[in-house]
Amino acid sequence: MKILSLLFLTLFLGKGCEAQKNEDLETTVVEYVANTRGFYKKIVVQNKTITVSKDRRGDDNPTPVKIADADWQKIIEAFQKIDLEELPNLEAPSKKRFYDGAAIANLKITYKDKIYESASFDHGNAPSEIKKLVDTINALVKEKE
């Protein structure tokens, strides 16, 4: 009986933690910005919606678009693999942004009221630790354009 109670308690607590994690992800904001002198794109993912702005002043009033459940799952899976504390320390795999060979990109994540921000990297060539999340977000934007 003790084993059965312990098993039930473990399952119950595990589901509670998973539900809490999903609630935290609902309030998480992921911002991806890529820009050069003549190019600007800001992608904001929050609460199953994605918003794209192409005006650096923010005058374009972008409309949030709902993300399909399957795509949202991909974002969650990619997000959960990121060590947020290490985000500022990630090293860019290339340096084309230094000579206008690529747009300068940054990833900013607001999670549990704390902001985590990456160092700059080349648009289209994110550090391997965040590549899946960045590529998933950019692929969603391409689908919607």
Side-chain angles (χ1 to χ4, degrees), residues 3-130:
I3 293 174
L4 186 59
S5 297
L6 183 60
L7 182 61
F8 177 74
L9 185 60
T10 303
L11 287 173
F12 179 73
L13 288 176
K15 289 293 183 189
C17 291
E18 187 176 305
Q20 177 65 39
K21 208 179 246 186
N22 283 339
E23 282 180 29
D24 290 341
L25 290 174
E26 299 292 324
T27 60
T28 299
V29 179
V30 178
E31 293 179 46
Y32 176 79
V33 177
N35 70 85
T36 62
R37 284 177 278 181
F39 169 79
Y40 180 83
K41 182 186 284 188
K42 180 178 182 180
I43 304 169
V44 179
V45 177
Q46 180 180 18
N47 197 18
K48 296 186 181 182
T49 63
I50 191 164
T51 307
V52 181
S53 176
K54 294 185 179 181
D55 180 10
R56 66 180 83 236
R57 290 179 305 212
D59 294 339
D60 58 349
N61 294 326
T63 305
V65 177
K66 184 160 174 34
I67 298 173
D69 289 338
D71 292 329
W72 183 247
Q73 252 338 97
K74 289 178 189 176
I75 291 171
I76 289 172
E77 288 169 14
F79 174 78
Q80 289 176 333
K81 292 179 181 173
I82 296 173
D83 181 357
L84 295 175
E85 295 296 331
E86 283 299 310
L87 195 59
N89 304 323
L90 299 180
E91 199 154 321
S94 58
K95 298 181 181 350
K96 292 181 180 179
R97 66 196 175 282
F98 293 141
Y99 57 85
D100 289 341
I104 301 167
N106 295 85
L107 183 69
K108 182 169 113 178
I109 299 174
T110 306
Y111 179 70
K112 292 186 177 180
D113 296 326
K114 188 170 179 187
I115 297 172
Y116 303 90
E117 206 163 346
S118 73
S120 64
F121 55 90
D122 293 348
H123 174 56
N125 195 15
S128 60
E129 296 87 349
I130 60 173

